[in-house]
Amino acid sequence: MTSKLNKQFQDLDKKYYLQTFKRYPLTLARAAGSLVWDVEGNEYIDMMGGVAVNSVGHCHPEVVKAIREQAEKLIHISNFYLSEPQVGLSAKLVSISGLDRVFFTNSGAESVEGAIKIARKYSHSIGKGGSIISFENSFHGRTLATIAAGKKEMQKGFEPIPQGFVQVPFNDMEAVINAAGRETAAIIIEPIQGEGGVNIADHKFLKDLRAFCDDLDITLIFDEIQCGMGRTGKMFACEHFGVQPDIMALAKALGGGFPVGAVLSNDKVSSAIAFGDHGTTFGGNPLACAAALASINVIESQNLLQQAEEKGSWIKSHILAFNNPDIKEVRGKGLMMGVEFNFETRELVGKMLENGVLANATAGNVLRLLPALNISYAELEKVMQVLDGSLRAIK
């Protein structure tokens, strides 16, 4: 292909790729920090961050350096053997999370699947059942078990759906109490729902949920795949609520753009797992772990938690200052933000793209903003101008 045009790549994508993504008409060629460029040379500010993946920005020099150096030494081995990056990342995650054990995966869905297996194995070890309670508007992945725990509309056409999953309204303790029983192995929750519209769990609800799980010996799983790793201004969103889960699922930003996930668990539930109960071929490979260690170091050394908190407040105040009657609510924590409108937001996102900003529409009428934690204020100023102008243009 001598010329490089977005339309040409779009046509090839439609010809060869399974048509499961409703893509925007862009083919991105390179990126640095919070900027991306398409194959035609057009520049965009990325407010999606690869859907909360690129928290340290695109191609951060320290992450790139770690990947390059590790790739020259050791890329993949079997988990029958150890590697220095895997041992180092295990110790680091235990240290910063307060949990006791780590299992590495390749994606968020795998992390949730692993969390469910650990919870069920523990529950069976104490003579209880394997039912999982999840919450309405949740999203935990696209595998069969994770869609069983997620939105009902994502289950259509994939029946029979795995059994043993019960769903209740978000932030409804009475519904949890009514749904739980001796067959309940675990309750899984996103402390801040992402795909569901950036919905924040009530502080009291999470506290009560923790106490309830303790009383009934039910495993509490936090899905921090999107809200973890500094996104909310804390390393993990659970820190905002003062609630420690038994199991935490991680992925997305963990690798600084490189695919890697993790299941973190306490000793109580981990003790139920025996040799051979779970496994992975690629999970925890040296290259992925080296990338993750570098990404965590960037978050810590460059004070990105504070930056996320401060920039999130800055964005919220600027959007509220629009005094736009179509804005119903601006919510979120840190740089995990949702702006709810009284109209569907896909057209707004399209208009922002035309003006050089990549953003995301979710839950119908919510504009979701998930930029790099180190995005500059100059870039944010431009984003606010584009958002304001795009709102005026579509109305």
Side-chain angles (χ1 to χ4, degrees), residues 118-186:
I118 295 169
R120 282 182 165 171
K121 188 70 189 298
Y122 172 73
S123 186
H124 291 318
S125 76
I126 58 173
K128 295 177 61 183
S131 180
I132 309 294
I133 295 175
S134 64
F135 294 88
E136 293 175 3
N137 294 316
S138 64
F139 180 85
H140 300 292
R142 300 276 187 172
T143 62
L144 284 171
T146 54
I147 65 170
K151 296 178 181 178
K152 297 298 181 185
E153 55 264 34
M154 291 186 177
Q155 301 173 9
K156 294 176 182 177
F158 300 107
E159 299 84 359
I161 299 300
Q163 300 301 297
F165 293 86
V166 179
Q167 200 162 82
V168 299
F170 193 57
N171 281 327
D172 189 335
M173 196 64 219
E174 184 178 356
V176 172
I177 293 169
N178 291 335
R182 185 152 185 81
E183 289 301 307
T184 305

Side-chain angles (χ1 to χ4, degrees), residues 127-379:
K128 295 177 61 183
S131 180
I132 309 294
I133 295 175
S134 64
F135 294 88
E136 293 175 3
N137 294 316
S138 64
F139 180 85
H140 300 292
R142 300 276 187 172
T143 62
L144 284 171
T146 54
I147 65 170
K151 296 178 181 178
K152 297 298 181 185
E153 55 264 34
M154 291 186 177
Q155 301 173 9
K156 294 176 182 177
F158 300 107
E159 299 84 359
I161 299 300
Q163 300 301 297
F165 293 86
V166 179
Q167 200 162 82
V168 299
F170 193 57
N171 281 327
D172 189 335
M173 196 64 219
E174 184 178 356
V176 172
I177 293 169
N178 291 335
R182 185 152 185 81
E183 289 301 307
T184 305
I187 298 173
I188 183 168
I189 186 170
E190 301 160 271
I192 305 176
Q193 292 183 332
E195 293 288 328
V198 191
N199 306 310
I200 305 173
D202 291 338
H203 191 279
K204 184 177 185 303
F205 173 71
L206 282 189
K207 289 280 191 181
D208 291 346
L209 193 62
R210 175 71 275 178
F212 180 74
C213 288
D214 288 339
D215 289 344
L216 274 67
D217 208 354
I218 294 171
T219 298
L220 180 58
I221 303 171
F222 277 7
D223 179 341
E224 294 227 12
I225 291 161
Q226 187 167 143
C227 61
M229 303 312 302
R231 170 60 47 192
T232 67
K234 303 285 187 185
M235 188 62 80
F236 304 107
C238 62
E239 297 172 41
H240 290 286
F241 307 93
V243 175
Q244 180 77 316
D246 300 299
I247 302 177
M248 187 187 301
L250 299 175
K252 286 194 180 289
L254 177 58
F258 198 93
V260 60
V263 188
L264 280 55
S265 51
N266 62 26
D267 275 334
K268 183 183 78 170
V269 298
S270 302
S271 64
I273 297 297
F275 292 120
D277 276 347
H278 198 43
T280 176
T281 297
F282 293 109
N285 65 76
L287 195 58
C289 291
L293 279 167
S295 181
I296 294 171
N297 180 64
V298 171
I299 292 171
E300 292 183 328
S301 65
Q302 298 184 11
N303 202 24
L304 295 192
L305 300 181
Q306 183 177 344
Q307 288 194 46
E309 186 175 359
E310 292 174 352
K311 290 169 183 174
S313 297
W314 186 94
I315 291 172
K316 183 175 182 178
S317 67
H318 277 67
I319 293 176
L320 290 175
F322 292 168
N323 290 318
N324 190 306
D326 290 320
I327 296 175
K328 297 175 66 176
E329 185 181 11
V330 182
R331 56 180 179 260
K333 287 186 180 294
L335 286 174
M336 183 175 182
M337 305 199 65
V339 186
E340 184 177 356
F341 290 87
N342 58 18
F343 57 80
E344 299 281 311
T345 52
R346 187 167 177 83
E347 182 185 1
L348 172 61
V349 168
K351 183 59 67 174
M352 292 176 71
L353 185 149
E354 289 177 14
N355 290 282
V357 173
L358 307 184
N360 175 246
T362 193
N365 65 336
V366 176
L367 174 71
R368 183 168 44 161
L369 303 175
L370 302 163
L373 310 186
N374 51 10
I375 188 170
S376 71
Y377 281 104
E379 289 163 337

